[in-house]
Amino acid sequence: MAEDRSLAVVTGASTGIGYELARCCAENGFDLVVAADEPRINDAAEDFRKLGAKVEPVQADLATLEGVDKLYQAIGTLNRPVEALLANAGRGLGKAFLDQDFNEVRDVIETNITGTLYLIQKIGRDMRSRNSGRILITGSIAGFMPGSFQAAYNGSKAFLDSFSFALRNELKDTNITVTCLMPGATETEFFERADMMDTQVGQSKKDDPADVAKTGFEAMMKGEGDVVTGLKNKLMTAIAAVTPAGVLAEQHRKMAEPGSGEK
């Protein structure tokens, strides 16, 4: 990989928002290391190469420390600084918490939180040693609401939303920026993978992942602290800030309860 362009790392880049974030990077002068836990990451890499980027795909389970180490080692072989880390890998899980397989609950937590933080710390330390870099964390407006029938997922996104603001503050006297992208429901494979296609939110019209990614990428490049995508989502977060948690939980139940899409 020649060093004529800056290097960006994008996780969860095989589909959805992550794919579109990687596309934004490729179209705006970045070479790429892209990662996902499925073979489709290789097909995605081919798409990004057609946009002029040099691309290194890595198939790894980023819910595990070993998977993150595999990605970090692949980055290291390039001998290039990571100028932008777009930590987007995530997993959802629908249905009632007491009915869920705990191995799947654990996978949500380890993908969304543990693996994400481990990667951010490893690459963030490298950025700090150079005093240069951009970090984009994909949080969610779900972090503003108690997630009835998505309890572990919403809890994980509340963690990431909070973490991103804290990390940004810790780095305020450096040349490293931290941006939290907080989308709402987006037209990706998320709801199918989370077994939520029988819910109101699973069947509703959702945001375009390309629009979400473009908004997030632009916010990252400007060094903004956070961005909520879409007017509807901005209104939802504003209302959530002044609404009792019990009311929010009931509202979320209406969207995410199994069978709610049939009511």
Side-chain angles (χ1 to χ4, degrees):
M1 231 183 234
E3 297 187 24
D4 53 332
R5 294 156 63 106
S6 296
L7 181 66
V9 175
V10 187
T11 64
S14 57
T15 60
I17 295 172
Y19 177 94
E20 297 297 342
L21 284 170
R23 175 187 286 276
C24 287
C25 289
E27 291 175 338
N28 287 275
F30 285 92
D31 287 334
L32 290 165
V33 177
V34 290
D37 63 356
E38 59 182 356
R40 277 194 290 179
I41 193 62
N42 297 298
D43 297 329
E46 281 300 316
D47 293 341
F48 307 141
R49 290 186 184 111
K50 293 173 185 176
L51 299 172
K54 297 178 179 65
V55 186
E56 181 72 25
V58 179
Q59 184 178 343
D61 183 359
L62 301 180
T64 68
L65 301 188
E66 295 79 11
V68 174
D69 283 337
K70 178 181 178 181
L71 171 58
Y72 187 69
Q73 289 164 7
I75 296 165
T77 64
L78 304 177
N79 293 313
R80 296 181 59 181
V82 175
E83 295 296 342
L85 168 61
L86 295 87
N88 170 80
R91 183 167 175 219
L93 186 63
K95 305 201 182 307
F97 174 72
L98 297 183
D99 295 330
Q100 292 168 346
D101 181 327
F102 193 75
N103 288 324
E104 294 186 342
V105 175
R106 183 174 173 178
D107 195 44
V108 169
I109 295 167
E110 292 184 344
T111 302
N112 297 3
I113 299 177
T114 308
T116 297
L117 266 61
Y118 185 47
L119 181 62
I120 290 171
Q121 188 180 71
K122 292 177 84 69
I123 293 180
R125 284 173 172 169
D126 295 335
M127 289 179 172
R128 184 177 61 181
S129 70
R130 304 191 319 270
N131 194 26
S132 175
R134 304 174 189 275
I135 299 172
L136 176 71
I137 300 170
T138 301
S140 175
I141 66 166
F144 291 87
M145 299 179 72
S148 307
F149 297 95
Q150 260 185 302
Y153 173 77
N154 282 41
S156 73
K157 288 301 183 176
F159 181 100
L160 284 180
D161 292 350
S162 174
F163 171 81
S164 67
F165 286 109
L167 182 62
R168 180 179 175 85
N169 182 264
E170 290 180 10
L171 295 170
K172 70 177 185 177
D173 296 323
T174 72
N175 293 323
I176 303 164
T177 61
V178 181
T179 303
C180 188
L181 170 60
M182 294 183 281
T186 305
E187 197 62 61
T188 69
E189 296 178 4
F190 173 92
F191 294 95
E192 183 176 353
R193 290 176 172 175
D195 194 16
M196 295 182 66
M197 294 308 294
D198 63 340
T199 66
Q200 184 183 108
V201 67
Q203 296 181 13
S204 66
K205 188 177 185 305
K206 304 172 189 63
D207 295 334
D208 184 337
D211 292 339
V212 170
K214 183 174 184 290
T215 300
F217 178 82
E218 290 175 350
M220 179 188 75
M221 295 306 293
K222 292 175 184 175
E224 295 176 355
D226 65 293
V227 59
V228 175
T229 59
L231 178 60
K232 178 183 176 182
N233 296 326
K234 288 183 172 73
L235 290 172
M236 285 179 63
T237 57
I239 293 169
V242 295
T243 302
V247 174
L248 292 174
E250 185 61 30
Q251 290 175 349
H252 198 280
R253 180 190 188 105
K254 292 174 182 177
M255 295 188 297
E257 185 175 10
S260 60
E262 303 167 3
K263 294 177 181 178

